Amino acid sequence: YVGYSAMNVARTVRHHGGKVASLEVDPLHVTLVRNMLEYAGLSDFVDVWTGYSFDSIPHLLKKYGPRSVDLVFMDQKGTRFHSDLALMEELNLLSDRAVILADNVLKPGAPLYIWHLAKGSYHHCTAISVREFLLQSEDWMVMAFRDASKAAAPIPPPQLHRLAFESDNFRKKSMFDGVAPSKSDWWKFSQGFVNGLDQCGCKPAIVGLHGRDNPKITPDDIARIFRNAGVDTNPS
């Protein structure tokens, strides 16, 4: 929300003729991001849009055209991930090889997003297990690769909708000190969350970084995920 992710992505894609579209709902955050980008010398490579994602995403089609999005990174409310992704699909914004990535998928949880990737027009859905910043406990970043030839995901089972409801409930509680879930509460919820995914047949493959003393994601870790998915990271 202060441009950190946008700047890091922009530093990479600018060398390949790419551009970043950063969506921010808070006008104050938009001001911060734009100033940080200007200070970093990256404002030519990032467009910052103001508003809710479902209002902003259609404008991306007008600005950049169909099949123009090669990478989607989502870090908003987890129960919006699958809805925003479905809107991008409906508008034909995603390229045929688009990479989809979202944070905080285990805490507070985004089960419908996982279902969307595991059962829909994507392949090699992978959970990257990392250490959650505040609680120093496990969290997931979940990614997959677009495959437009596959059919859309079927309707999720009721159990996943229940998991999504519980995830939202935990998210709301975490905002208030008096009722915020403890580390043990989160651990218990996470175990039930993973079991629920498994029972519904959509538990992703997990790359275990969480067990490391310093669980930093390295370029080799990411390259391995791409290789396992049969995706060339250095196309000619």
Side-chain angles (χ1 to χ4, degrees):
Y1 70 99
V2 291
Y4 181 78
S5 298
M7 286 188 287
N8 276 285
V9 176
R11 288 169 58 201
T12 299
V13 302
R14 64 176 174 173
H15 300 299
H16 304 280
K19 196 161 191 175
V20 177
S22 178
L23 277 54
E24 297 286 351
V25 68
D26 190 325
L28 175 60
H29 294 166
V30 171
T31 302
L32 287 170
V33 173
R34 287 175 176 165
N35 278 276
M36 291 294 288
L37 290 167
E38 187 69 27
Y39 183 73
L42 293 168
S43 55
D44 288 344
F45 304 98
V46 182
D47 293 332
V48 187
W49 298 80
T50 312
Y52 288 101
S53 54
F54 54 82
D55 289 326
S56 299
I57 288 172
H59 293 288
L60 304 185
L61 180 62
K62 299 175 186 177
K63 174 75 173 182
Y64 308 110
R67 299 168 66 184
S68 57
V69 176
D70 293 316
L71 168 68
V72 178
F73 172 59
M74 295 182 286
D75 193 19
Q76 69 273 37
K77 186 178 179 182
T79 45
R80 291 290 317 170
F81 293 162
H82 63 289
S83 299
D84 290 342
L85 194 53
L87 179 57
M88 284 184 266
E89 293 168 2
E90 180 184 336
L91 295 173
N92 195 27
L93 265 169
L94 301 177
S95 69
D96 291 342
R97 302 191 311 161
V99 179
I100 313 300
L101 176 67
D103 197 8
N104 303 123
V105 179
L106 181 61
K107 289 188 178 70
L112 297 177
Y113 164 74
I114 294 175
W115 176 269
H116 195 97
L117 295 186
K119 300 294 186 179
S121 52
Y122 300 88
H123 65 95
H124 284 81
C125 180
T126 303
I128 305 167
S129 174
V130 295
R131 185 174 294 168
E132 203 276 333
F133 178 68
L134 292 176
L135 290 176
Q136 293 296 292
S137 56
E138 186 182 18
D139 198 2
W140 288 355
M141 298 182 74
V142 175
M143 66 183 298
F145 302 86
R146 176 78 167 149
D147 182 357
S149 67
K150 295 178 67 177
I155 297 174
Q159 183 177 352
L160 278 185
H161 285 285
R162 180 66 190 179
L163 273 179
F165 173 81
E166 292 172 352
S167 298
D168 259 353
N169 192 37
F170 263 73
R171 179 189 178 94
K172 291 174 183 177
K173 285 184 176 180
S174 67
M175 299 168 63
F176 303 98
D177 291 338
V179 293
S182 65
K183 186 174 181 178
S184 61
D185 291 333
W186 276 117
W187 184 87
K188 183 178 179 181
F189 171 76
S190 298
Q191 294 303 304
F193 184 92
V194 176
N195 290 339
L197 296 177
D198 199 15
Q199 291 168 13
C200 294
C202 62
K203 179 182 174 181
I206 302 172
V207 176
L209 302 180
H210 179 62
R212 297 179 183 175
D213 292 335
N214 180 24
K216 181 178 180 181
I217 301 171
T218 68
D220 285 342
D221 293 320
I222 302 304
R224 193 176 303 111
I225 294 173
F226 276 74
R227 285 197 302 269
N228 291 341
V231 177
D232 185 3
T233 56
N234 294 293
S236 57

